Amino acid sequence: MGEKVVAGGSDLSDRQRYRQKLQQCLAGLGRLLAEKRFDRPKNLMGLEIELNLAGADGMPRMMNAEVLERIASRDFQTELGMFNLEVNVAPHRLGGHVFEQLAEELRTGLGYADRKSKELGAGIVMIGILPTLAQQDVVSANLSDVDRYMLLNDQIVTARGEDFTLDIDGVERLNCTAASITPEAACTSVQLHLQVTPARFADVWNAAQAVAAVQVAVGANAPFLFGRELWRESRPPLFQQATDTRPPELQAQGVRPRTWFGERWVESAYELFEENLRFFPSLLPICDEEDPLRVLDDGGVPSLHELVLHNGTVYRWNRPVYGVADGVPHLRVENRVLPAGPTVDDVIANAAFYYGLVRALAEEARPVWRRMPFADADANFETACRFGIDAELRWPRPGRNGGITTVPAVKLVRDELLPLAAAGLDAWGIEAGDRDHYLGIIEQRCKRRVNGSSWQVETFHRALEAGLDREAALAATTRRYIELMNHGDPVHTWPVAFPSPAERRAL
């Protein structure tokens, strides 16, 4: 949500006024679109990474306020849990050596943050879910001391009216309850932003939806939660259940969850904002003094405060974003599919694959969303979350005969999608050497059938076989992960031999 929200009560009239303001904002957005007021193409991308704090023992540290004070950089901000941080990278223009520049910025920034964290007995960990995180770590007392998180928690808890049920049936089953939204803080993600014109928005969003499953399959990095081995990418089911305002009765009626994949391809960005208003009640009914329609009448550009705030409480995996920069409105597609980590090179490889692929797919004469039912894209997303690098996905057959076939994700990526991603990066003007280096990381993951999740699982089971109990094996896996993450080589090169010499001496 990224903005200051002051905690305080709200009454029924606040919600009615907020609903009215939302409709005014939506009308304002419609006018901006009709009057073609949006920014011209700039090929701008942005990057955010959510991070964990853990000690040398691999266990979470509840000290983000102290760490942020020590880091003293506006690039780093709080996140939902006291064991979370977020780093924001300034927007960059896609082209040239942008990915190598991003990698260097991240190495520098994360390295500095890690050094400052270690002064306080913590360290930075890029991972989808910290394997050592326990249920007692995600209680309301460990919410970050920030008004917007406290208010959001209060509103979601009130809307639900009962404890949250976490029930994820994977390799093992997790079934427990939570009295707050804090379990959502376990999910640490990468958000990729792409500024687009209104005319291109629908094609880019549809392309991002189509490839979300592929992103998860090659990038999964969250197989454990509360000591259980679940899905290869356990963030999506956890995020949905930890923010679910629907009691079982509303779920049975088919009411949509606030965390969702969607249900159809779209023709415009307006449709997504309109759906968010139509389907989801407000959680933070905080009104701004701006009259968006009067601002437009006066020739100005409205901030659409209420629309932006409401949009931030609907957790689409590909989210539409409205923003204003230098007095000019713009639209972005925010891709929220990927887990954090394992290394900077892996994060940048995932980004290069995504930006190249959506560019190529959005410009195809017969785009994939005209050849594949949306239901297949939705089912693919769950399949990829469950099985990761071993997923088999539904995809249109090559050629003009049409039809859908089932294909291993690794084969689909290597045979069809990597060449498309390379062509898309060429269209962005990315230097060939950088293109080949980062897409090569994706290719090697597919060739070796290794990603962060598969490495974690194999290392964990090796630790069990070496005689460690479950808790010790998860901690040892986390410590080894941190060691290799800091070394920096991409995850497909990581050895899985266990125990390491240091761990063997400790046995």
Side-chain angles (χ1 to χ4, degrees), residues 254-299:
V255 173
R256 297 161 180 84
R258 296 191 84 96
T259 300
W260 71 323
F261 188 77
E263 59 193 20
R264 63 189 176 92
W265 308 117
V266 303
E267 299 293 334
S268 71
Y270 182 90
E271 297 174 32
L272 296 174
F273 287 102
E274 189 276 333
E275 277 187 351
N276 286 354
L277 270 61
R278 181 156 42 96
F279 293 156
F280 303 106
S282 64
L283 290 177
L284 300 172
I286 301 167
C287 290
D288 190 73
E289 294 303 315
E290 175 187 80
D291 182 335
L293 300 181
R294 180 172 296 175
V295 170
L296 282 167
D297 289 341
D298 293 341

Side-chain angles (χ1 to χ4, degrees), residues 188-192 215-216 219 235 335-340 350-351:
T188 39
S189 309
V190 172
Q191 285 109 47
L192 301 174
Q215 289 180 273
V216 170
R235 288 168 38 258
N335 178 261
R336 302 161 49 80
V337 167
L338 290 163
N350 289 339

Side-chain angles (χ1 to χ4, degrees), residues 101-424:
Q101 293 165 6
L102 285 167
E104 185 56 34
E105 288 178 27
L106 282 174
R107 290 189 193 100
T108 301
L110 293 174
Y112 170 77
D114 189 59
R115 290 192 298 275
K116 289 298 181 181
S117 300
K118 281 184 167 59
E119 293 174 3
L120 298 170
I124 301 293
V125 188
M126 287 196 299
I127 195 167
I129 296 175
L130 194 67
T132 51
L133 200 67
Q135 192 175 352
Q136 60 265 29
D137 294 321
V138 289
V139 294
S140 57
N142 287 335
L143 277 173
S144 292
D145 188 17
V146 176
D147 283 344
R148 69 177 182 271
Y149 299 136
M150 301 292 187
L151 183 55
L152 184 65
N153 177 69
D154 291 346
Q155 293 294 309
I156 292 180
V157 169
T158 300
R160 183 172 176 86
E162 60 187 76
D163 283 353
F164 299 88
T165 298
L166 305 181
D167 188 355
I168 305 173
D169 193 6
V171 176
E172 299 175 304
R173 184 170 186 175
L174 174 72
N175 188 281
C176 62
T177 60
S180 73
I181 66 170
T182 317
E184 184 248 297
C187 307
T188 39
S189 309
V190 172
Q191 285 109 47
L192 301 174
H193 290 255
L194 179 60
Q195 184 175 325
V196 294
T197 62
R200 285 178 53 83
F201 181 95
D203 288 346
V204 171
W205 188 86
N206 288 336
Q209 289 285 91
V211 303
V214 177
Q215 289 180 273
V216 170
V218 299
N221 197 26
F224 299 109
L225 176 64
F226 302 161
R228 294 289 181 266
E229 182 183 344
L230 302 174
W231 294 10
R232 288 301 183 255
E233 186 54 47
S234 303
R235 288 168 38 258
L238 170 59
F239 204 116
Q240 177 174 322
Q241 294 176 20
T243 59
D244 202 341
T245 57
R246 308 168 303 161
E249 295 81 4
L250 292 183
Q251 295 179 35
Q253 293 173 32
V255 173
R256 297 161 180 84
R258 296 191 84 96
T259 300
W260 71 323
F261 188 77
E263 59 193 20
R264 63 189 176 92
W265 308 117
V266 303
E267 299 293 334
S268 71
Y270 182 90
E271 297 174 32
L272 296 174
F273 287 102
E274 189 276 333
E275 277 187 351
N276 286 354
L277 270 61
R278 181 156 42 96
F279 293 156
F280 303 106
S282 64
L283 290 177
L284 300 172
I286 301 167
C287 290
D288 190 73
E289 294 303 315
E290 175 187 80
D291 182 335
L293 300 181
R294 180 172 296 175
V295 170
L296 282 167
D297 289 341
D298 293 341
V301 175
S303 67
L304 305 185
H305 167 84
E306 293 81 7
L307 187 73
V308 170
L309 184 59
H310 182 67
N311 192 58
T313 66
V314 179
Y315 305 104
R316 295 178 183 269
W317 294 107
N318 284 292
R319 176 190 273 167
V321 177
Y322 170 88
V324 181
D326 299 323
V328 182
H330 67 264
L331 293 172
R332 303 194 304 274
V333 174
E334 180 190 13
N335 178 261
R336 302 161 49 80
V337 167
L338 290 163
T343 67
V344 168
D345 269 4
D346 287 303
V347 168
I348 300 302
N350 289 339
F353 184 51
Y354 169 76
Y355 287 118
L357 196 49
V358 294
R359 172 71 184 258
L361 290 177
E363 295 180 352
E364 282 191 317
R366 296 179 65 241
V368 63
W369 57 92
R370 303 293 186 201
R371 299 181 286 136
M372 182 171 73
F374 188 89
D376 282 339
D378 189 6
N380 280 346
F381 185 64
E382 179 172 327
T383 298
C385 291
R386 285 183 179 274
F387 301 109
I389 201 81
D390 296 319
E392 295 192 352
L393 306 177
R394 302 276 290 166
W395 198 258
R397 288 189 179 90
R400 303 193 62 85
N401 293 330
I404 304 293
T405 188
T406 300
V407 59
V410 292
K411 177 176 173 58
L412 175 63
V413 171
R414 291 178 69 186
D415 293 353
E416 185 173 346
L417 299 186
L418 277 173
L420 281 172

Side-chain angles (χ1 to χ4, degrees), residues 450-479:
V450 172
N451 58 18
S453 190
S454 68
W455 182 90
Q456 288 186 57
V457 168
E458 186 168 356
T459 303
F460 168 70
H461 285 285
R462 294 279 187 94
L464 292 178
E465 292 166 5
L468 275 66
D469 63 28
R470 178 179 289 258
E471 185 175 326
L474 288 167
T477 298
T478 303
R479 290 193 295 270

